[in-house]
Amino acid sequence: MESVTKIIVIGAGPAGLMAAGIAAGEIMSAGNGEVLLLERNPRVGRKIMITGKGRCNFTNNCDTEKFLESIPTNPKFLYSALYSFSPADTIAFFENLGLATKTERGGRVFPASDQASDIVDALRGFVNAQGVGIRKNSRAVELIFAPLENLTYTKTKSNLPHTGIISGVKLDDGSVLQADAVILASGGSSYPQTGSTGDGYKMAEKTGHTIVPLRPALVPLELCGNHYKLLQGLTLKNVVLDLKYNGDTVYKELGELLFTHFGVSGPLVLSASSKMQYGNQTGYTLHIDLKPGLNGKTLDKRLLRDFSENSNKDFINSLSGLLPKKMIRFIVELSGIPERQKTHQITAAQRERLVNLLKNLTFEVKGTRPLCEAIVTGGGIKTNEINPKTMESKLIKNLFFAGEIIDTDGFTGGFNMQIAFSTGYIAGKRVSKIFSVI
C-alpha cells in the first residue's frame, strides 16, 4: 500500500494559511498526501482581523526592488521568496479568489470593502478548497525529530549540516501527531491576545536553532517630559519625521503621525521605531517639520503675510490659518513669544525662532512601548540557519519556517503581511518536494 505523506502547518495566520493552501494544492494533485493546519485559537486569522485598524493593509503595490528597500532587517534573505511570490502576485491571488482590492497612498493595498474579515474569509475559502484539514483549539508545544542515520556529512554554505529529521508535533494535551514535514508559522510575540505568545521560538530553539533576541518592531514611542500631552489625540498629516541618534539621522520620511497619552504613534513613528537599537534607546530625538513644503525663507514670508492680515490681533489668535487648533497653544508656549503680544509688534528675531520651531519641532525619545504592543516582532529564527530558496531548516530536515517567526521585518505599509505571504508560499511550494526523499 502506498504511504501517505502528512504535512503539518503550525499557525493559521497569513503565513500559515498561505503555506497550508499552497502545499495542499501541490500534493493533492499527486493523490498521496494530506495537510493538517493547527491553530490554537477557536478561529483562524485572528491577528489579520486587527491589521490596519481592521482594514487589513495586506501588501504594498510596488516592485520587488523598491519593496526590499523597506525591509530594514535581513532584506537579502527575502529575494527568492519575493521573486517567487511578489506583491503583484498577492494582489492577483486575492482578486482570483473574488476579492476586490484598492491601492491607496504610499502603495498600501486594502480590500475594497475596508474589511479585514474579507481577507480572512478569502484565505479560509482557499484552504478549504484545497482540502486542508483545520484543527482549531490545538496548541503545539514541541517538535519531534530524530537524528539522521547514515548521513553523508555535506556542509551547507553556512556550515550548518542537517543533524536530524522531523517526525511529528506534540500538543499541549500530551498527544503526538506524526508528520513527514512541518511548517512552523506560529507568529511572533506581539499582540499575545491573538495567540502570538512566542511558542514557535521555544519549539525552534529546542531543535538547535538560534533565536535572535526579540524586540518590538513597528511600535509606538514614549517621549520624555509632559509638554507633549497638550497634543494628545492630534493627528498630523503631510509632515516630515526625522529620527536622529546622537544627532545623526537614522530615519526620515514624509507622512502621518499621532500624539498619544504616552508619546507618539502612527505610520511614520512605527516605521521609525524599526531603526532603533533595542536595549539602548538613549540618545534618540524626534524632529518634526510641520511645513515641509516651505523652506525657512518662504515660511517667514508666509508669517509676515499672516501677521499683516491680523496686525491688531494677539499672537495666539493669529495662527489658525497655519496650525491645527490643538497645536496653537503648544507652539505659542514653546516659541517664547507672549501670547497677548500684538502681531505687528513681533520682531524679526521672534519670527526666526518661530520658523525654526515649525521646521524643527523636537522631542526627546524615552523609549519604545513594550513588545506586547508592537505590530510586529523583531528578531526570531536566525536567517543563516534557513535556506532562503526553500524556507527549510538547515539543521532539521523537512522542517520549514514562514512568517513573523523569522528574523526579518519591514516598515509599515503592507510589507510585513507580504513577507508572511511570500515565505508561506515558498514553504508550501517547496515542502511538496519531500515526496522524492521520504
Side-chain angles (χ1 to χ4, degrees), residues 311-329:
S311 60
N312 291 318
K313 284 188 176 182
D314 296 338
F315 174 51
I316 196 170
N317 295 325
S318 67
L319 300 174
S320 60
L322 188 70
L323 297 169
K325 183 178 180 181
K326 199 163 192 173
M327 183 165 250
I328 291 175
R329 180 166 294 280

Side-chain angles (χ1 to χ4, degrees), residues 278-332:
Y278 188 56
N280 178 22
Q281 297 180 350
T282 59
Y284 286 96
T285 52
L286 288 179
H287 304 260
I288 303 173
D289 184 349
L290 297 170
K291 299 295 175 183
L294 304 175
N295 61 30
K297 188 174 182 179
T298 306
L299 180 55
D300 185 53
K301 290 180 179 179
R302 163 72 187 272
L303 289 174
L304 277 172
R305 186 180 73 243
D306 286 357
F307 291 164
S308 176
E309 293 173 353
N310 299 279
S311 60
N312 291 318
K313 284 188 176 182
D314 296 338
F315 174 51
I316 196 170
N317 295 325
S318 67
L319 300 174
S320 60
L322 188 70
L323 297 169
K325 183 178 180 181
K326 199 163 192 173
M327 183 165 250
I328 291 175
R329 180 166 294 280
F330 179 81
I331 292 296
V332 168

